[in-house]
Amino acid sequence: MGFGMPGAVWGPQVDELQRDHRCCHYDHLGVGESDRGPFLRTIPSMAEDAIRILDDLRWDRAHVVGVSMGGMIAQELALRSGDRLQSLTLVATHGGAPVASMPTPRGLWLFFKGLFGGRKARLKSLPRLLYPDAFIESMGSDLDAHLDVRLGRPPQLRTVLGQLYGVTRHSTESRLSQIHTPTLLVRPGMDILIRPTQTDRLAARIPNAEVLRFDDAGHGVTFQKARELNEALRAHVGRHEPAAPAVESQAARTLR
């Protein structure tokens, strides 16, 4: 999951995909049910956390999906342990270009307002950071329950600042050509936190990456476009599953 968010925010994807796949989502250190962990984090260290989870699950390989900061972690995971990945999906994320990866001015204002303005400020700024105004209006009274998943148990400031340290130091652009895992890039066209052009930069650098566009979606595309995204994830994963062994017919065994 992304910056400061618990793994439960993957609910729209896990609820659907666990019908026919084994799914794992987790809380980053300092978030949700996880231990506090060290203060300053780096994206590579968070990728090592993910590898340890795969090891604990005894999953030799997995389809990896990451959104925003989670997408940065997924890039490092693909670069460090590409043999563990059957496929890769990067949602609303970037490769760390120093200037180009900056949010829009409105996105930057809403981000820091939510970060340092207290719970009331977060409740007001987070929806406008994640979603276009028209979608917020369409949610109506469901907005409060939706925000409770994201803000019901916010991480401590030390965790937020530690993750921010890692995000600002993230840099993979010069290495992205080394990713040979089949990759799907999800591009929300109205994202004000990570500009849509960042997906274009990833597409230009990751060999044979496929781009899925949601031109009317914001940074919170995993919720706003859950049905369409889940369909695309299922198709992407299905294309890159190991081929099932051929089943020998009873007739063939009898004739032999």
XYZ file of all heavy atoms in Angstrom, residues 123-212:
708
model
N -9.321 14.853 7.228
C -10.648 14.461 6.750
C -11.107 15.339 5.593
O -11.840 14.887 4.710
C -11.664 14.526 7.891
C -11.576 13.411 8.930
C -12.474 13.724 10.125
C -11.960 12.074 8.316
N -10.684 16.586 5.594
C -11.074 17.500 4.520
C -10.155 17.389 3.311
O -10.612 17.445 2.168
C -11.066 18.951 5.035
C -12.177 19.258 6.027
C -12.208 20.722 6.381
C -12.568 21.585 5.195
N -12.717 23.009 5.551
N -8.860 17.220 3.553
C -7.909 17.277 2.445
C -7.735 15.943 1.730
O -7.514 15.914 0.508
C -6.542 17.769 2.936
O -5.998 16.884 3.902
N -7.830 14.816 2.463
C -7.547 13.534 1.844
C -8.469 13.213 0.663
O -7.983 12.806 -0.402
C -7.600 12.405 2.878
C -7.204 11.027 2.350
C -5.746 11.010 1.891
C -7.430 9.951 3.407
N -9.799 13.382 0.791
C -10.635 13.082 -0.378
C -10.275 13.925 -1.594
O -10.246 13.426 -2.724
C -12.060 13.400 0.114
C -11.987 13.359 1.588
C -10.596 13.797 1.949
N -9.980 15.190 -1.383
C -9.664 16.065 -2.515
C -8.307 15.755 -3.102
O -8.039 16.056 -4.257
C -9.740 17.529 -2.058
C -11.154 17.913 -1.625
C -11.284 19.323 -1.093
N -10.028 19.977 -0.852
C -9.927 21.131 -0.192
N -10.948 21.715 0.312
N -8.767 21.682 -0.021
N -7.422 15.132 -2.284
C -6.124 14.702 -2.785
C -6.256 13.433 -3.626
O -5.551 13.265 -4.621
C -5.178 14.450 -1.609
C -3.742 14.038 -1.928
C -3.005 15.143 -2.672
C -2.993 13.666 -0.646
N -7.185 12.565 -3.245
C -7.296 11.251 -3.877
C -8.259 11.212 -5.056
O -8.067 10.394 -5.969
C -7.750 10.212 -2.844
C -6.784 9.907 -1.698
C -7.414 8.893 -0.751
C -5.453 9.396 -2.213
N -9.296 12.049 -5.040
C -10.375 11.878 -6.011
C -10.777 13.203 -6.655
O -10.726 14.262 -6.017
C -11.615 11.283 -5.328
C -11.346 10.018 -4.572
C -11.478 9.976 -3.185
C -10.937 8.866 -5.227
C -11.221 8.825 -2.473
C -10.675 7.701 -4.533
C -10.817 7.678 -3.152
O -10.553 6.531 -2.458
N -11.240 13.145 -7.904
C -11.820 14.335 -8.532
C -13.103 14.747 -7.801
O -13.789 13.920 -7.183
C -12.126 13.860 -9.962
C -11.274 12.652 -10.175
C -11.150 12.001 -8.837
N -13.425 16.019 -7.879
C -14.586 16.546 -7.158
C -15.877 15.819 -7.522
O -16.709 15.544 -6.651
C -14.741 18.050 -7.444
C -13.618 18.871 -6.823
O -12.952 18.354 -5.896
O -13.397 20.010 -7.281
N -16.051 15.498 -8.793
C -17.286 14.836 -9.220
C -17.452 13.480 -8.547
O -18.569 13.092 -8.175
C -17.316 14.686 -10.742
N -16.360 12.766 -8.357
C -16.460 11.456 -7.717
C -16.759 11.610 -6.230
O -17.539 10.830 -5.662
C -15.166 10.669 -7.911
C -15.205 9.295 -7.296
C -15.967 8.292 -7.877
C -14.500 9.009 -6.143
C -16.026 7.026 -7.316
C -14.538 7.748 -5.569
C -15.306 6.751 -6.159
N -16.181 12.600 -5.584
C -16.469 12.842 -4.165
C -17.948 13.112 -3.972
O -18.590 12.577 -3.058
C -15.622 14.017 -3.641
C -14.134 13.655 -3.666
C -16.049 14.398 -2.230
C -13.212 14.807 -3.324
N -18.517 13.927 -4.844
C -19.948 14.231 -4.752
C -20.789 12.979 -4.954
O -21.820 12.790 -4.299
C -20.314 15.301 -5.784
C -19.701 16.659 -5.506
C -19.995 17.663 -6.616
O -20.829 17.349 -7.496
O -19.385 18.747 -6.601
N -20.359 12.105 -5.837
C -21.134 10.893 -6.118
C -21.118 9.918 -4.949
O -22.017 9.075 -4.821
C -20.586 10.197 -7.368
O -19.345 9.561 -7.109
N -20.116 9.990 -4.057
C -20.022 9.068 -2.931
C -21.027 9.388 -1.833
O -21.488 8.494 -1.124
C -18.602 9.093 -2.353
C -17.567 8.483 -3.268
S -15.908 8.508 -2.522
C -16.127 7.349 -1.171
N -21.378 10.653 -1.695
C -22.364 11.036 -0.697
C -21.989 10.599 0.706
O -20.852 10.773 1.163
N -22.944 9.965 1.407
C -22.737 9.569 2.798
C -21.758 8.409 2.951
O -21.312 8.113 4.063
C -24.079 9.195 3.431
O -24.678 8.116 2.725
N -21.420 7.719 1.859
C -20.459 6.607 1.942
C -19.036 7.093 2.165
O -18.152 6.299 2.498
C -20.493 5.769 0.659
C -21.816 5.049 0.483
O -22.478 4.792 1.510
O -22.180 4.741 -0.671
N -18.811 8.388 1.991
C -17.460 8.923 2.098
C -16.873 8.720 3.492
O -15.701 8.373 3.637
C -17.459 10.409 1.736
C -16.103 11.120 1.772
C -15.150 10.493 0.767
C -16.271 12.614 1.494
N -17.699 8.908 4.539
C -17.183 8.801 5.906
C -16.664 7.400 6.197
O -15.591 7.233 6.786
C -18.277 9.184 6.905
C -18.595 10.673 6.878
O -17.770 11.441 6.344
O -19.662 11.053 7.370
N -17.425 6.374 5.816
C -16.991 4.993 6.061
C -15.726 4.681 5.276
O -14.826 3.985 5.759
C -18.105 4.019 5.690
N -15.656 5.212 4.069
C -14.483 5.000 3.221
C -13.245 5.621 3.864
O -12.170 4.996 3.902
C -14.750 5.617 1.852
C -13.577 5.615 0.936
N -12.986 4.463 0.468
C -12.855 6.636 0.410
C -11.973 4.762 -0.311
N -11.869 6.075 -0.367
N -13.381 6.822 4.406
C -12.243 7.495 5.020
C -11.830 6.835 6.326
O -10.652 6.871 6.706
C -12.580 8.971 5.270
C -12.714 9.858 4.032
C -13.094 11.260 4.437
C -11.416 9.859 3.227
N -12.779 6.211 7.004
C -12.460 5.589 8.283
C -11.443 4.464 8.112
O -10.598 4.230 8.984
C -13.732 5.051 8.941
C -13.468 4.601 10.368
O -13.023 5.436 11.177
O -13.692 3.409 10.669
N -11.508 3.753 6.979
C -10.529 2.694 6.713
C -9.134 3.301 6.603
O -8.139 2.719 7.049
C -10.883 1.928 5.420
C -9.815 0.891 5.085
C -12.244 1.266 5.559
N -9.056 4.483 6.019
C -7.768 5.119 5.781
C -7.257 5.914 6.976
O -6.050 6.006 7.195
C -7.878 6.046 4.566
C -7.966 5.273 3.263
C -8.589 6.073 2.137
N -8.412 5.352 0.874
C -9.116 4.285 0.532
N -10.029 3.811 1.360
N -8.904 3.671 -0.619
N -8.174 6.480 7.760
C -7.770 7.389 8.819
C -8.168 6.914 10.204
O -7.881 7.585 11.189
C -8.389 8.778 8.576
C -7.988 9.466 7.274
C -8.727 10.790 7.142
C -6.492 9.697 7.222
N -8.812 5.750 10.287
C -9.293 5.288 11.583
C -8.185 5.053 12.585
O -8.376 5.191 13.794
N -7.006 4.678 12.094
C -5.863 4.427 12.974
C -4.609 4.985 12.314
O -3.784 4.240 11.789
C -5.728 2.928 13.226
C -4.734 2.574 14.311
C -4.724 1.068 14.550
N -3.686 0.693 15.469
C -3.413 -0.555 15.811
N -4.121 -1.547 15.292
N -2.450 -0.820 16.666
N -4.460 6.290 12.299
C -3.331 6.888 11.579
C -2.004 6.531 12.229
O -1.918 6.361 13.447
C -3.611 8.389 11.681
C -4.442 8.535 12.908
C -5.288 7.299 12.972
N -0.939 6.408 11.437
C 0.379 6.126 12.010
C 0.916 7.326 12.772
O 0.472 8.464 12.576
C 1.227 5.833 10.772
C 0.554 6.560 9.663
C -0.914 6.515 9.983
N 1.881 7.064 13.644
C 2.519 8.141 14.380
C 3.319 9.020 13.426
O 3.727 8.591 12.353
C 3.436 7.574 15.457
C 2.719 6.817 16.546
C 3.682 6.290 17.604
O 4.908 6.433 17.481
N 3.142 5.676 18.643
N 3.570 10.251 13.875
C 4.297 11.204 13.039
C 5.683 10.666 12.680
O 6.161 10.870 11.561
C 4.412 12.547 13.755
C 5.122 13.661 12.984
C 4.399 13.976 11.681
C 5.241 14.915 13.847
N 6.341 9.951 13.580
C 7.679 9.420 13.294
C 7.626 8.454 12.108
O 8.545 8.438 11.289
C 8.275 8.740 14.532
C 7.661 7.391 14.852
C 8.254 6.745 16.099
N 9.657 6.422 16.005
C 10.138 5.311 15.445
N 9.326 4.446 14.870
N 11.446 5.086 15.440
N 6.555 7.665 12.013
C 6.418 6.737 10.901
C 6.208 7.488 9.598
O 6.809 7.167 8.567
C 5.247 5.765 11.140
O 5.529 4.979 12.304
C 5.030 4.858 9.954
N 5.342 8.500 9.640
C 5.062 9.293 8.448
C 6.325 9.992 7.951
O 6.642 9.972 6.762
C 3.946 10.316 8.748
C 3.770 11.275 7.576
C 2.627 9.605 9.050
N 7.074 10.593 8.872
C 8.307 11.278 8.481
C 9.346 10.279 7.991
O 10.099 10.569 7.047
C 8.849 12.082 9.658
C 7.997 13.269 10.109
C 8.609 13.927 11.336
C 7.839 14.278 8.981
N 9.395 9.108 8.603
C 10.335 8.085 8.149
C 10.029 7.603 6.750
O 10.939 7.413 5.929
N 8.733 7.417 6.447
C 8.349 7.031 5.084
C 8.615 8.158 4.102
O 9.052 7.919 2.966
C 6.872 6.641 5.051
C 6.559 5.316 5.711
C 5.129 4.876 5.467
O 4.332 5.575 4.825
N 4.787 3.705 5.973
N 8.352 9.393 4.525
C 8.612 10.532 3.655
C 10.091 10.608 3.288
O 10.438 10.924 2.139
C 8.163 11.824 4.341
C 8.214 13.102 3.512
C 7.314 12.991 2.287
C 7.809 14.311 4.356
N 10.949 10.304 4.221
C 12.388 10.248 3.956
C 12.673 9.240 2.845
O 13.421 9.515 1.908
C 13.123 9.874 5.240
C 14.591 9.585 5.065
C 15.526 10.618 5.036
C 15.054 8.275 4.946
C 16.881 10.354 4.884
C 16.403 7.994 4.802
C 17.316 9.043 4.766
O 18.652 8.775 4.609
N 12.069 8.062 2.943
C 12.291 7.041 1.928
C 11.771 7.437 0.563
O 12.445 7.223 -0.460
N 10.587 8.025 0.526
C 9.984 8.417 -0.746
C 10.824 9.478 -1.445
O 11.042 9.430 -2.662
C 8.542 8.917 -0.516
C 7.996 9.617 -1.751
C 7.632 7.746 -0.126
N 11.317 10.460 -0.689
C 12.078 11.545 -1.311
C 13.440 11.067 -1.813
O 14.049 11.721 -2.669
C 12.277 12.704 -0.322
O 12.914 12.222 0.874
C 10.934 13.336 0.034
N 13.916 9.931 -1.304
C 15.203 9.399 -1.760
C 15.038 8.306 -2.820
O 16.043 7.795 -3.335
C 15.970 8.819 -0.557
C 16.428 9.879 0.428
C 17.009 9.252 1.694
N 18.171 8.424 1.410
C 19.411 8.877 1.320
N 19.655 10.175 1.491
N 20.413 8.058 1.071
N 13.816 7.992 -3.160
C 13.559 6.927 -4.140
C 14.118 7.301 -5.504
O 13.906 8.407 -6.001
C 12.046 6.695 -4.240
C 11.642 5.858 -5.403
N 12.031 4.542 -5.553
C 10.864 6.143 -6.481
C 11.519 4.058 -6.664
N 10.810 4.999 -7.252
N 14.832 6.362 -6.115
C 15.388 6.614 -7.446
C 15.636 5.284 -8.156
O 16.537 4.534 -7.783
C 16.709 7.398 -7.329
O 17.274 7.606 -8.603
N 14.825 5.015 -9.171
C 15.015 3.785 -9.954
C 15.102 4.052 -11.455
O 15.365 3.122 -12.217
C 13.844 2.802 -9.723
O 12.613 3.462 -10.042
C 13.805 2.286 -8.294
N 14.884 5.280 -11.895
C 14.747 5.534 -13.332
C 15.912 4.992 -14.150
O 15.707 4.428 -15.223
C 14.569 7.034 -13.598
C 13.144 7.517 -13.418
C 12.833 8.712 -14.284
O 13.772 9.362 -14.791
O 11.632 9.003 -14.471
N 17.112 5.130 -13.659
C 18.272 4.692 -14.439
C 18.387 3.173 -14.505
O 19.157 2.640 -15.303
C 19.566 5.271 -13.832
O 19.783 4.751 -12.527
N 17.596 2.458 -13.685
C 17.681 0.997 -13.641
C 16.431 0.299 -14.190
O 16.399 -0.936 -14.263
C 17.907 0.541 -12.189
C 19.225 1.004 -11.596
C 19.322 0.591 -10.134
N 18.487 1.415 -9.280
C 17.848 0.968 -8.197
N 17.926 -0.311 -7.848
N 17.133 1.791 -7.458
N 15.427 1.059 -14.554
C 14.147 0.455 -14.925
C 14.244 -0.452 -16.150
O 13.453 -1.391 -16.297
C 13.102 1.542 -15.171
C 12.640 2.301 -13.922
C 11.708 3.443 -14.314
C 11.964 1.369 -12.927
N 15.212 -0.203 -17.013
C 15.369 -1.058 -18.193
C 15.777 -2.483 -17.815
O 15.702 -3.395 -18.636
C 16.417 -0.468 -19.150
O 17.692 -0.398 -18.513
N 16.196 -2.678 -16.563
C 16.585 -4.002 -16.089
C 15.384 -4.841 -15.639
O 15.544 -6.014 -15.305
C 17.568 -3.874 -14.920
C 18.841 -3.124 -15.257
C 19.673 -2.831 -14.022
O 19.615 -3.554 -13.026
N 20.443 -1.759 -14.080
N 14.196 -4.232 -15.594
C 13.000 -4.977 -15.196
C 12.472 -5.735 -16.404
O 12.053 -5.132 -17.393
C 11.913 -4.027 -14.642
C 12.397 -3.375 -13.343
C 10.613 -4.792 -14.392
C 11.406 -2.400 -12.733
N 12.494 -7.031 -16.315
C 11.994 -7.866 -17.407
C 10.760 -8.663 -16.992
O 10.282 -9.500 -17.750
C 13.094 -8.803 -17.894
C 14.283 -8.065 -18.453
N 14.226 -7.352 -19.646
C 15.539 -7.877 -17.960
C 15.393 -6.793 -19.877
N 16.209 -7.082 -18.863
N 10.246 -8.383 -15.807
C 8.986 -8.974 -15.364
C 7.845 -8.383 -16.194
O 7.829 -7.165 -16.427
C 8.755 -8.655 -13.875
O 9.868 -9.121 -13.116
C 7.475 -9.301 -13.371
N 6.885 -9.177 -16.649
C 5.721 -8.614 -17.361
C 5.025 -7.567 -16.498
O 4.607 -7.861 -15.369
C 4.829 -9.838 -17.585
C 5.757 -11.003 -17.551
C 6.828 -10.644 -16.560
N 4.925 -6.349 -17.018
C 4.512 -5.207 -16.196
C 3.282 -4.521 -16.750
O 3.203 -4.208 -17.939
C 5.660 -4.181 -16.088
O 6.817 -4.821 -15.530
C 5.270 -3.005 -15.211
N 2.327 -4.264 -15.849
C 1.149 -3.451 -16.151
C 1.274 -2.141 -15.391
O 1.509 -2.133 -14.180
C -0.125 -4.186 -15.716
C -1.447 -3.414 -15.860
C -1.764 -3.160 -17.331
C -2.586 -4.162 -15.180
N 1.130 -1.016 -16.089
C 1.183 0.311 -15.487
C -0.218 0.909 -15.494
O -0.861 0.948 -16.537
C 2.136 1.212 -16.265
C 3.569 0.715 -16.438
C 4.338 1.634 -17.382
C 4.271 0.627 -15.088
N -0.663 1.374 -14.343
C -2.005 1.963 -14.228
C -1.845 3.468 -14.116
O -1.196 3.978 -13.194
C -2.755 1.382 -13.017
C -4.142 2.024 -12.901
C -2.886 -0.139 -13.150
N -2.496 4.184 -15.056
C -2.306 5.628 -15.209
C -3.611 6.372 -14.943
O -4.460 6.494 -15.820
C -1.830 5.932 -16.637
C -1.516 7.389 -16.932
C -1.248 7.547 -18.422
N -0.656 8.821 -18.767
C -1.359 9.937 -19.010
N -2.685 9.928 -18.901
N -0.739 11.057 -19.350
N -3.810 6.897 -13.724
C -4.994 7.727 -13.465
C -4.770 9.147 -14.003
O -3.848 9.844 -13.583
C -5.117 7.711 -11.941
C -3.765 7.367 -11.438
C -3.024 6.652 -12.513
N -5.621 9.549 -14.938
C -5.370 10.780 -15.678
C -5.617 12.065 -14.927
O -5.218 13.138 -15.396
N -6.284 11.999 -13.736
C -6.566 13.214 -12.963
C -5.830 13.205 -11.625
O -6.243 13.857 -10.679
C -8.069 13.366 -12.762
C -8.845 13.510 -14.068
S -10.616 13.811 -13.850
C -10.604 15.495 -13.221
N -4.741 12.470 -11.561
C -3.938 12.363 -10.339
C -3.188 13.677 -10.111
O -2.431 14.127 -10.970
C -2.949 11.207 -10.493
C -2.291 10.798 -9.191
O -2.323 11.587 -8.219
O -1.744 9.682 -9.140
N -3.375 14.281 -8.927
C -2.669 15.526 -8.609
C -1.525 15.284 -7.631
O -0.766 16.205 -7.335
C -3.614 16.602 -8.045
C -4.265 16.138 -6.730
C -4.680 16.982 -9.075
C -5.066 17.226 -6.025
N -1.405 14.058 -7.110
C -0.311 13.742 -6.198
C 0.900 13.204 -6.956
O 2.030 13.636 -6.736
C -0.769 12.726 -5.145
C 0.275 12.352 -4.088
C 0.731 13.588 -3.311
C -0.283 11.302 -3.133
N 0.673 12.249 -7.844
C 1.727 11.760 -8.745
C 1.231 11.981 -10.168
O 0.281 11.343 -10.608
C 2.051 10.280 -8.486
C 2.650 10.134 -7.082
C 3.020 9.751 -9.538
C 3.042 8.721 -6.720
N 1.848 12.894 -10.849
C 1.346 13.325 -12.153
C 1.252 12.142 -13.123
O 2.124 11.266 -13.144
C 2.264 14.389 -12.749
C 2.387 15.653 -11.892
C 3.454 16.572 -12.446
N 3.786 17.648 -11.541
C 3.456 18.933 -11.726
N 2.763 19.275 -12.804
N 3.809 19.849 -10.850
N 0.205 12.116 -13.962
C 0.052 11.024 -14.934
C 1.258 10.854 -15.853
O 1.536 9.742 -16.310
C -1.199 11.436 -15.720
C -1.950 12.349 -14.808
C -0.919 13.067 -13.998
N 1.972 11.935 -16.106
C 3.156 11.835 -16.969
C 4.236 10.938 -16.372
O 5.114 10.460 -17.097
C 3.740 13.235 -17.230
O 3.923 13.910 -15.967
C 2.804 14.056 -18.106
N 4.161 10.701 -15.060
C 5.131 9.795 -14.444
C 4.931 8.359 -14.924
O 5.895 7.606 -15.068
C 5.031 9.866 -12.921
C 5.530 11.170 -12.334
C 6.951 11.463 -12.758
O 7.874 10.710 -12.445
N 7.157 12.552 -13.499
N 3.686 7.984 -15.166
C 3.430 6.659 -15.744
C 4.020 6.574 -17.139
O 4.563 5.538 -17.537
C 1.918 6.370 -15.779
O 1.391 6.436 -14.451
C 1.637 4.988 -16.362
N 3.932 7.671 -17.892
C 4.521 7.687 -19.230
C 6.034 7.484 -19.158
O 6.627 6.794 -19.997
C 4.206 9.009 -19.935
C 2.706 9.266 -20.052
O 1.934 8.283 -20.098
O 2.313 10.442 -20.087
N 6.675 8.083 -18.157
C 8.120 7.910 -17.990
C 8.450 6.446 -17.668
O 9.436 5.900 -18.174
C 8.634 8.832 -16.881
C 8.559 10.312 -17.205
C 9.033 11.151 -16.028
N 10.473 11.064 -15.856
C 11.355 11.962 -16.305
N 10.920 13.008 -16.998
N 12.637 11.824 -16.081
N 7.638 5.836 -16.827
C 7.854 4.418 -16.518
C 7.694 3.572 -17.778
O 8.487 2.659 -18.036
C 6.869 3.947 -15.447
C 7.025 4.536 -14.046
C 5.873 4.068 -13.162
C 8.352 4.157 -13.423
N 6.657 3.875 -18.559
C 6.392 3.096 -19.776
C 7.539 3.212 -20.774
O 7.826 2.259 -21.511
C 5.084 3.563 -20.416
N 8.181 4.362 -20.796
C 9.296 4.552 -21.732
C 10.554 3.820 -21.293
O 11.457 3.601 -22.115
C 9.599 6.049 -21.867
N 10.617 3.407 -20.037
C 11.840 2.820 -19.500
C 11.733 1.330 -19.178
O 12.755 0.640 -19.159
C 12.262 3.599 -18.244
C 12.762 5.002 -18.566
C 12.790 5.909 -17.341
N 13.430 7.188 -17.655
C 12.834 8.182 -18.302
N 11.585 8.041 -18.730
N 13.482 9.311 -18.553
N 10.537 0.844 -18.884
C 10.367 -0.575 -18.563
C 10.041 -1.324 -19.850
O 9.040 -1.030 -20.509
C 9.246 -0.778 -17.528
C 9.590 -0.045 -16.227
C 9.029 -2.274 -17.260
C 8.501 -0.107 -15.178
N 10.850 -2.284 -20.246
C 10.637 -2.959 -21.531
C 9.259 -3.617 -21.622
O 8.843 -4.334 -20.713
C 11.752 -4.015 -21.559
C 12.804 -3.495 -20.629
C 12.064 -2.765 -19.550
N 8.562 -3.326 -22.718
C 7.301 -3.991 -23.063
C 6.204 -3.818 -22.015
O 5.297 -4.658 -21.902
C 7.533 -5.490 -23.313
C 8.562 -5.741 -24.399
O 8.499 -5.141 -25.470
N 9.532 -6.608 -24.115
N 6.272 -2.741 -21.245
C 5.220 -2.496 -20.256
C 3.914 -2.131 -20.953
O 3.899 -1.446 -21.976
C 5.634 -1.381 -19.305
N 2.820 -2.589 -20.378
C 1.475 -2.280 -20.873
C 0.885 -1.179 -20.011
O 1.052 -1.186 -18.785
C 0.608 -3.532 -20.805
C -0.840 -3.327 -21.195
C -1.685 -4.570 -20.965
O -1.130 -5.613 -20.571
O -2.922 -4.479 -21.158
N 0.196 -0.218 -20.607
C -0.388 0.900 -19.871
C -1.908 0.794 -19.887
O -2.524 0.654 -20.947
C 0.045 2.256 -20.461
C -0.603 3.409 -19.692
C 1.564 2.389 -20.429
N -2.500 0.866 -18.693
C -3.955 0.901 -18.526
C -4.326 2.306 -18.083
O -3.906 2.767 -17.023
C -4.385 -0.134 -17.484
C -5.868 -0.137 -17.089
C -6.746 -0.497 -18.279
C -6.099 -1.097 -15.930
